[in-house]
Amino acid sequence: MISIIEGKRYSTETATEVACEQYGDYGDLGRYTETLYQTPKGRYFLHGAGGPASPYAECSDGTYSGGADIEPMDMNKAYRWLEANKMVTAIEVHFPDRITDA
C-alpha cells in the first residue's frame, strides 16, 4: 500500500517491517492487523487493515467493507505502540537507548 501524507510517500513495499500484531479471532468481522514499518529515511508509520467491523472499515453508500490505512508516527508514538503490544525484541533493536535495567 502506498499513501502520500503531507507530501511524504509511505510505502509498505519499500519500508522495513518492525513488528506486527493481530487483533480479534479468525472469521471475526472486527479482526484487524496493524504493522509498524520504518522507511528507508528512518520515519515510522503504522499500516492497519481489517474487516468491515474493524477500526479500518470503509463505508460506501451505507455499506461497510474491509479497509486499510496508513498513519505516520513519530518516534515516541512508535515506541509507545511497541511497548503497548509487548514487542520486546523490536524495542531492543529500534529503541535501545530508551531501555534501562530495573
Side-chain angles (χ1 to χ4, degrees), residues 27-39:
D28 179 2
L29 297 178
R31 180 183 168 116
Y32 64 99
T33 301
E34 291 182 330
T35 307
L36 183 66
Y37 287 92
Q38 186 176 30
T39 69

Side-chain angles (χ1 to χ4, degrees), residues 89-100:
T89 302
I91 292 171
E92 290 174 335
V93 169
H94 291 271
F95 298 96
D97 57 322
R98 295 188 182 208
I99 303 168
T100 59

Side-chain angles (χ1 to χ4, degrees), residues 51-52 54 56-60 63-69:
S54 76
Y56 297 99
E58 295 177 359
C59 183
S60 177
T63 303
Y64 286 89
S65 63
D69 198 15

